[in-house]
PDB file of all heavy atoms in Angstrom:
ATOM      1  N   ALA G 114       9.256 137.523  45.578  1.00 97.00           N
ATOM      2  CA  ALA G 114       9.449 138.956  45.853  1.00 97.00           C
ATOM      3  C   ALA G 114      10.598 139.540  45.024  1.00 97.00           C
ATOM      4  O   ALA G 114      10.476 140.634  44.462  1.00 97.00           O
ATOM      5  CB  ALA G 114       9.708 139.172  47.347  1.00 97.00           C
ATOM      6  N   LEU G 142      27.310 128.921  47.612  1.00 98.00           N
ATOM      7  CA  LEU G 142      28.385 128.738  48.601  1.00 98.00           C
ATOM      8  C   LEU G 142      28.465 127.273  49.020  1.00 98.00           C
ATOM      9  O   LEU G 142      29.556 126.768  49.349  1.00 98.00           O
ATOM     10  CB  LEU G 142      28.215 129.697  49.785  1.00 98.00           C
ATOM     11  CG  LEU G 142      27.136 129.454  50.833  1.00 98.00           C
ATOM     12  CD1 LEU G 142      27.624 128.561  51.953  1.00 98.00           C
ATOM     13  CD2 LEU G 142      26.683 130.782  51.431  1.00 98.00           C
ATOM     14  N   ILE G 161      19.492 115.296  51.338  1.00 98.00           N
ATOM     15  CA  ILE G 161      18.985 116.561  51.879  1.00 98.00           C
ATOM     16  C   ILE G 161      17.961 116.176  52.945  1.00 98.00           C
ATOM     17  O   ILE G 161      16.980 115.489  52.645  1.00 98.00           O
ATOM     18  CB  ILE G 161      18.361 117.439  50.769  1.00 98.00           C
ATOM     19  CG1 ILE G 161      19.407 117.733  49.687  1.00 98.00           C
ATOM     20  CG2 ILE G 161      17.812 118.739  51.362  1.00 98.00           C
ATOM     21  CD1 ILE G 161      18.926 118.657  48.556  1.00 98.00           C
ATOM     22  N   ASP G 164      13.298 119.657  56.793  1.00 94.00           N
ATOM     23  CA  ASP G 164      12.095 120.391  56.387  1.00 94.00           C
ATOM     24  C   ASP G 164      12.187 120.857  54.923  1.00 94.00           C
ATOM     25  O   ASP G 164      12.240 122.055  54.639  1.00 94.00           O
ATOM     26  CB  ASP G 164      11.935 121.581  57.335  1.00 94.00           C
ATOM     27  CG  ASP G 164      10.601 122.280  57.184  1.00 94.00           C
ATOM     28  OD1 ASP G 164       9.821 121.882  56.299  1.00 94.00           O
ATOM     29  OD2 ASP G 164      10.355 123.235  57.947  1.00 94.00           O
ATOM     30  N   PHE G 193       7.062 116.589  55.671  1.00 93.00           N
ATOM     31  CA  PHE G 193       8.072 117.560  55.214  1.00 93.00           C
ATOM     32  C   PHE G 193       8.528 117.314  53.784  1.00 93.00           C
ATOM     33  O   PHE G 193       9.389 118.024  53.271  1.00 93.00           O
ATOM     34  CB  PHE G 193       9.308 117.514  56.121  1.00 93.00           C
ATOM     35  CG  PHE G 193       9.150 118.300  57.385  1.00 93.00           C
ATOM     36  CD1 PHE G 193      10.047 118.127  58.433  1.00 93.00           C
ATOM     37  CD2 PHE G 193       8.144 119.240  57.537  1.00 93.00           C
ATOM     38  CE1 PHE G 193       9.918 118.849  59.603  1.00 93.00           C
ATOM     39  CE2 PHE G 193       7.999 119.972  58.700  1.00 93.00           C
ATOM     40  CZ  PHE G 193       8.891 119.774  59.735  1.00 93.00           C
ATOM     41  N   GLU G 210      18.960 105.022  56.751  1.00 96.00           N
ATOM     42  CA  GLU G 210      18.927 104.613  55.337  1.00 96.00           C
ATOM     43  C   GLU G 210      19.300 105.792  54.430  1.00 96.00           C
ATOM     44  O   GLU G 210      20.026 105.643  53.444  1.00 96.00           O
ATOM     45  CB  GLU G 210      17.490 104.198  55.022  1.00 96.00           C
ATOM     46  CG  GLU G 210      17.320 103.078  54.042  1.00 96.00           C
ATOM     47  CD  GLU G 210      15.830 102.791  53.913  1.00 96.00           C
ATOM     48  OE1 GLU G 210      15.270 102.121  54.817  1.00 96.00           O
ATOM     49  OE2 GLU G 210      15.241 103.291  52.942  1.00 96.00           O
ATOM     50  N   GLN G 228       5.659 127.252  59.439  1.00 66.00           N
ATOM     51  CA  GLN G 228       4.757 126.113  59.615  1.00 66.00           C
ATOM     52  C   GLN G 228       3.454 126.566  60.261  1.00 66.00           C
ATOM     53  O   GLN G 228       3.395 126.778  61.464  1.00 66.00           O
ATOM     54  CB  GLN G 228       5.420 125.042  60.481  1.00 66.00           C
ATOM     55  CG  GLN G 228       6.644 124.426  59.814  1.00 66.00           C
ATOM     56  CD  GLN G 228       7.452 123.584  60.771  1.00 66.00           C
ATOM     57  OE1 GLN G 228       7.006 123.274  61.868  1.00 66.00           O
ATOM     58  NE2 GLN G 228       8.648 123.213  60.351  1.00 66.00           N
ATOM     59  N   LEU G 230       0.759 124.795  60.380  1.00 59.00           N
ATOM     60  CA  LEU G 230       0.097 123.643  60.994  1.00 59.00           C
ATOM     61  C   LEU G 230       1.115 122.828  61.771  1.00 59.00           C
ATOM     62  O   LEU G 230       2.312 123.092  61.704  1.00 59.00           O
ATOM     63  CB  LEU G 230      -0.482 122.749  59.890  1.00 59.00           C
ATOM     64  CG  LEU G 230      -1.510 123.388  58.960  1.00 59.00           C
ATOM     65  CD1 LEU G 230      -1.656 122.549  57.709  1.00 59.00           C
ATOM     66  CD2 LEU G 230      -2.847 123.496  59.678  1.00 59.00           C
ATOM     67  N   ALA G 253      27.234 105.882  57.503  1.00 91.00           N
ATOM     68  CA  ALA G 253      27.593 106.784  56.406  1.00 91.00           C
ATOM     69  C   ALA G 253      29.044 106.556  55.987  1.00 91.00           C
ATOM     70  O   ALA G 253      29.825 105.951  56.717  1.00 91.00           O
ATOM     71  CB  ALA G 253      27.397 108.225  56.836  1.00 91.00           C
ATOM     72  N   LYS G 256      34.019 109.372  54.497  1.00 96.00           N
ATOM     73  CA  LYS G 256      34.443 110.615  53.831  1.00 96.00           C
ATOM     74  C   LYS G 256      33.295 111.614  53.684  1.00 96.00           C
ATOM     75  O   LYS G 256      33.461 112.648  53.025  1.00 96.00           O
ATOM     76  CB  LYS G 256      34.950 110.281  52.433  1.00 96.00           C
ATOM     77  CG  LYS G 256      36.284 109.589  52.404  1.00 96.00           C
ATOM     78  CD  LYS G 256      36.718 109.528  50.965  1.00 96.00           C
ATOM     79  CE  LYS G 256      38.015 108.795  50.795  1.00 96.00           C
ATOM     80  NZ  LYS G 256      38.161 108.370  49.400  1.00 96.00           N
ATOM     81  N   ILE G 269      17.998 119.384  67.753  1.00 94.00           N
ATOM     82  CA  ILE G 269      16.718 119.154  67.059  1.00 94.00           C
ATOM     83  C   ILE G 269      16.984 118.529  65.690  1.00 94.00           C
ATOM     84  O   ILE G 269      16.666 117.375  65.459  1.00 94.00           O
ATOM     85  CB  ILE G 269      15.886 120.451  66.954  1.00 94.00           C
ATOM     86  CG1 ILE G 269      15.569 120.967  68.362  1.00 94.00           C
ATOM     87  CG2 ILE G 269      14.605 120.190  66.154  1.00 94.00           C
ATOM     88  CD1 ILE G 269      14.776 122.241  68.412  1.00 94.00           C
ATOM     89  N   PRO G 306      27.142 148.470  30.434  1.00 54.00           N
ATOM     90  CA  PRO G 306      25.743 148.896  30.338  1.00 54.00           C
ATOM     91  C   PRO G 306      25.039 148.127  29.230  1.00 54.00           C
ATOM     92  O   PRO G 306      25.637 147.814  28.210  1.00 54.00           O
ATOM     93  CB  PRO G 306      25.840 150.381  29.977  1.00 54.00           C
ATOM     94  CG  PRO G 306      27.251 150.771  30.180  1.00 54.00           C
ATOM     95  CD  PRO G 306      28.091 149.533  30.169  1.00 54.00           C
ATOM     96  N   ALA G 315      25.754 139.446  23.288  1.00 43.00           N
ATOM     97  CA  ALA G 315      24.471 138.868  23.686  1.00 43.00           C
ATOM     98  C   ALA G 315      24.478 137.354  23.553  1.00 43.00           C
ATOM     99  O   ALA G 315      23.716 136.655  24.218  1.00 43.00           O
ATOM    100  CB  ALA G 315      23.350 139.467  22.844  1.00 43.00           C
TER     101      ALA G 315
END
Side-chain angles (χ1 to χ4, degrees):
L142 74 88
I161 301 183
D164 190 357
F193 278 166
E210 214 178 282
Q228 295 168 12
L230 300 163
K256 287 188 183 161
I269 299 179

